[in-house]
Amino acid sequence: MKTAIAIRHLAFEDLGILQPLLQARGFRIEYREAGVDRLDGLALEQVDLLIALGGPIGAFDDELYPFLVDELGAIRRRLQARRPILGICLGAQLMARALGAGVAAMGHKEIGFAELQLTEAGMRSALAPLADSPLALHWHGDQFDIPDGAQRLAASARCPNQAFAIGNHALGLQFHLEADPQRLESWLVGHACELAATGIDPRTLREQCRRHGETLRRQGSLVFARWLDGLG
């Protein structure tokens, strides 16, 4: 049986809609809790698929959160070995950092359901299903630069670098295709302080999710299925 390990930084920012897709393809799923479980050793290097999930800390916050050193090392070794890896939000930022690219604050927050624009490369990539309904859940204040040798796949009005890919084995997403619309409430509660600080009314996000959630679930499932198909 194949195994996928997901590095989780917040309990509610989990694999979401990606988990049943992986299980249907025969993957056994394990979580590693950042800051609690060990993130060094051979397990993260040799597993069939590594997924680095999102979180509210910065990709360069090593001094504040020392576990990032081991997490970054594991991600770097996966990339060097060209082993399958998916990074979402913070996970994608750590991938970019591991590849020598910058990650920095945008000067504003991008939170909520907003459109994406696919690049020409994005239209040929696993993200192609989003062309029919280019919408995603955004929840970040930092953005990555596109690493050397990677293809830029998507942008949004407030963030020009939303996704990148290296070959078929590495995909970094700034946005949250994995988020389960039926569990948005856990995000609203978990990020209540951030929403209040940025002046975002959770009722607005709840209404956006009501209107767009099922479309996002369908499109996200198509994207992940297409990417997993490309892993062979």
Side-chain angles (χ1 to χ4, degrees):
M1 177 179 284
K2 297 177 290 186
T3 300
I5 293 179
I7 302 174
R8 181 163 52 185
H9 305 90
L10 283 176
F12 58 86
E13 290 199 28
D14 56 17
L15 289 170
I17 68 167
L18 182 53
Q19 182 155 328
L21 291 175
L22 290 170
Q23 290 171 329
R25 288 166 180 263
F27 279 90
R28 180 172 60 89
I29 293 170
E30 299 179 6
Y31 282 98
R32 295 290 187 273
E33 307 298 340
V36 177
D37 296 325
R38 290 187 60 176
L39 300 179
D40 57 355
L42 293 178
L44 300 189
E45 298 176 37
Q46 297 179 349
V47 70
D48 298 288
L49 173 61
L50 180 65
I51 303 161
L53 295 167
I57 64 177
F60 282 88
D61 284 350
D62 305 12
E63 292 188 9
L64 297 174
Y65 302 98
F67 66 80
L68 285 173
V69 174
D70 287 339
E71 183 172 0
L72 184 69
I75 289 171
R76 181 178 290 116
R77 290 188 289 274
R78 291 286 299 191
L79 290 164
Q80 290 172 341
R82 300 184 68 83
R83 299 277 288 159
I85 180 170
L86 170 66
I88 297 173
C89 198
L90 172 61
Q93 294 165 8
L94 288 168
M95 286 173 61
R97 180 186 171 188
L99 292 164
V103 180
M106 297 189 298
H108 60 267
K109 297 282 188 177
E110 185 179 33
I111 298 175
F113 296 86
E115 289 189 358
L116 289 167
Q117 296 85 46
L118 298 185
T119 65
E120 289 187 14
M123 294 291 290
R124 300 188 300 270
S125 76
L127 301 189
L130 297 178
D132 295 332
S133 180
L135 198 71
L137 174 61
H138 305 272
W139 209 302
H140 65 109
D142 293 349
Q143 89 166 326
F144 49 71
D145 294 333
I146 302 298
D148 290 342
Q151 288 188 310
R152 177 173 167 269
L153 304 182
S156 69
R158 306 197 72 192
C159 176
N161 296 329
Q162 283 281 358
F164 66 86
I166 302 173
N168 294 324
H169 67 283
L171 179 64
L173 305 177
Q174 184 60 74
F175 48 93
H176 290 276
L177 279 186
E178 87 292 354
D180 186 343
Q182 294 184 353
R183 296 171 57 202
L184 178 71
E185 203 65 30
S186 62
W187 289 60
L188 301 182
V189 173
H191 290 305
C193 292
E194 183 179 32
L195 292 176
T198 51
I200 296 174
D201 191 329
R203 291 171 292 189
T204 300
L205 299 182
R206 205 174 284 126
E207 174 59 20
Q208 289 177 334
C209 187
R210 186 192 67 77
R211 287 188 279 118
H212 303 299
E214 288 312 306
T215 298
L216 289 173
R217 177 194 294 277
R218 183 172 63 253
Q219 298 294 85
S221 296
L222 290 172
V223 167
F224 287 132
R226 182 164 171 157
W227 185 69
L228 291 169
D229 286 344
L231 296 180

